[in-house]
Amino acid sequence: MRYTLSLCFLLLILSCKTRTKPDPRSITITSVEVKETISYLASDELKGRYAGSEGIDKAASFIENQFKSYDVKSYFETYRDHFKINNLDAFNVVGFIEGTDKDLKDEVIILGAHYDHIGYGNGIKKHGGRLTDEDVMANGANDNASGTAAVLAVAKYFSTKKNNKRSIMFALFSAEEMGLLGSKHLAEKLKAENLNLYTMINFEMIGVPLIDRDYQAFVSGYDLSNMADKMNEYAGSHLIGFSDIAKKYNLFKQSDNFAFYEEFKLPCQTISSCDLTNYDYYHHVDDETDELDYEFMVSLINKTILAIEKMSNTPTKEIVMYESE
């Protein structure tokens, strides 16, 4: 009897260990971790993350440390991809997960977002931003700590799953607010290196839901490729839709996807849930952490992950540009 009880006790311990071990098949991103990322990036400590500032250096270090904790490698010699803006030192932050397939790993999916914002005080006014009597700090929670948090969440997911046959690059851009300069630099650099790009997906302002839509986000340049249709197919839901406002204001050319489209002439588009009809704080000091909907955001991120996972594993490149008429 004593041996039987000891054996049962041992089996119970082993069973508990098995149950507590993370199951890679059930990995999801939580609203808590997304909020923690955004709360730091949009904190007063970073002073609006203006390109070339001490605040954006802290933001870059945070992103680097996240990549390191996930075991996401740097694409270049270091995570920082340096470039100059006149005499100003600026840098993108670039991570990389190599694909698992010996042939498909040469094809690269880029997931991007800009991590800079418009700073504080007179810097806000220079970018057409709005101050209040009580606040002069543009923390940029939705624009674009939210997109940065999405890229980091996807990086964490794939670093754990390790099931992407194609390689995935994670690019966080600086100097977007100065005229898309960080993405322009990286796109030109990768084109010169003959990167075998499959597609580029950019995340921009995903912190609040759209109003009265039957989809969660829109994709800029909707009519240029089958990106939306394929992502909906891969996700198994009506995840991505068309925004009249995005087309009216040609948002396709207003974010970091555009430089990659210009260089590669491939599907390079932005996912967003904010077309300026559903958020009053664009370039406003009230673009704060507590204005965002984290349950919505994590739902969008997790569904998008499903689409990217499928995208990274199809035998052929299924996302293509439509032929121009």
Side-chain angles (χ1 to χ4, degrees):
M1 177 65 73
R2 183 183 304 166
Y3 295 117
T4 302
L5 289 173
S6 297
L7 179 60
C8 290
F9 184 65
L10 177 61
L11 290 173
L12 179 62
I13 292 173
L14 291 173
S15 174
C16 288
K17 287 184 177 179
T18 301
R19 285 199 301 269
T20 57
K21 185 178 180 180
D23 181 357
R25 294 170 299 177
S26 61
I27 297 163
T28 55
I29 305 304
T30 68
S31 59
V32 172
E33 59 193 302
V34 170
K35 186 173 183 178
E36 286 176 350
T37 297
I38 293 173
S39 294
Y40 178 70
L41 292 173
S43 65
D44 285 354
E45 178 186 343
L46 272 59
K47 296 183 178 179
R49 308 188 309 278
Y50 197 66
S53 70
E54 180 183 352
I56 202 166
D57 183 72
K58 289 182 178 180
S61 294
F62 172 82
I63 294 165
E64 290 172 318
N65 288 332
Q66 294 297 95
F67 281 155
K68 289 174 184 175
S69 73
Y70 307 153
D71 197 27
V72 172
K73 307 303 182 185
S74 60
Y75 182 73
F76 302 109
E77 289 187 9
T78 69
Y79 289 107
R80 298 196 185 195
D81 166 43
H82 292 268
F83 61 99
K84 284 282 192 179
I85 307 171
N86 297 320
N87 293 322
L88 189 69
D89 292 317
F91 34 81
N92 304 312
V93 185
V94 186
F96 190 72
I97 297 177
E98 186 175 51
T100 60
D101 185 273
K102 65 181 180 65
D103 297 318
L104 291 178
K105 70 179 182 180
D106 293 333
E107 300 174 4
V108 179
I109 296 168
I110 297 177
L111 306 177
H114 74 91
Y115 73 106
D116 67 309
H117 196 50
I118 59 174
Y120 62 96
N122 290 330
I124 297 175
K125 295 179 181 178
K126 185 166 66 174
H127 290 274
R130 290 170 287 171
L131 307 172
T132 67
D133 291 338
E134 297 79 23
D135 194 354
V136 295
M137 187 83 68
N139 295 106
N142 196 24
D143 184 15
N144 186 35
S146 66
T148 302
V151 172
L152 290 175
V154 180
K156 178 181 179 181
Y157 178 87
F158 282 103
S159 69
T160 305
K161 285 292 286 282
K162 296 180 173 61
N163 69 341
N164 51 295
K165 292 182 179 179
R166 291 185 173 86
S167 296
I168 304 177
M169 181 183 296
F170 305 93
L172 287 311
F173 308 113
S174 185
E176 187 269 358
E177 301 289 4
M178 293 182 174
L180 312 178
L181 299 183
S183 54
K184 184 176 188 296
H185 163 79
L186 184 58
E188 291 175 350
K189 185 174 181 176
L190 294 175
K191 180 65 174 178
E193 294 179 356
N194 294 315
L195 182 82
N196 185 1
L197 181 66
Y198 173 19
T199 187
M200 187 271 183
I201 299 174
N202 187 57
F203 294 86
E204 176 83 63
M205 294 195 292
I206 62 163
V208 292
L210 291 157
I211 300 169
D212 297 328
R213 313 285 175 93
D214 62 352
Y215 53 85
Q216 285 189 275
F218 65 89
V219 64
S220 66
Y222 182 95
D223 298 325
L224 296 177
S225 79
N226 65 346
M227 174 79 77
D229 289 341
K230 296 307 292 186
M231 290 195 73
N232 289 339
E233 175 189 328
Y234 296 158
S237 65
H238 194 187
L239 176 67
I240 305 295
F242 170 76
S243 166
D244 290 313
I245 301 296
K247 185 170 184 177
K248 177 181 178 181
Y249 292 103
N250 201 5
L251 297 187
F252 176 70
K253 292 185 177 182
Q254 309 305 318
S255 196
D256 290 305
N257 63 285
F258 187 63
F260 291 88
Y261 170 75
E262 284 278 270
E263 290 296 328
F264 291 91
K265 294 298 187 285
L266 291 169
C268 300
Q269 292 163 268
T270 290
I271 290 174
S272 178
S273 67
C274 182
D275 62 6
L276 307 184
T277 65
N278 60 324
Y279 195 65
D280 294 331
Y281 303 126
Y282 173 69
H283 280 195
H284 193 295
V285 293
D286 288 338
D287 181 9
E288 300 276 15
T289 306
D290 58 5
E291 296 292 338
L292 305 190
D293 185 333
Y294 294 95
E295 293 303 323
F296 161 77
M297 203 182 319
V298 80
S299 172
L300 174 59
I301 291 170
N302 281 318
K303 290 177 182 177
T304 303
I305 283 173
L306 293 177
I308 294 169
E309 187 170 48
K310 179 69 174 177
M311 186 188 305
S312 71
N313 286 292
T314 57
T316 60
K317 294 179 178 180
E318 296 184 349
I319 297 174
V320 296
M321 298 293 295
Y322 290 134
E323 293 183 9
S324 56
E325 298 179 358

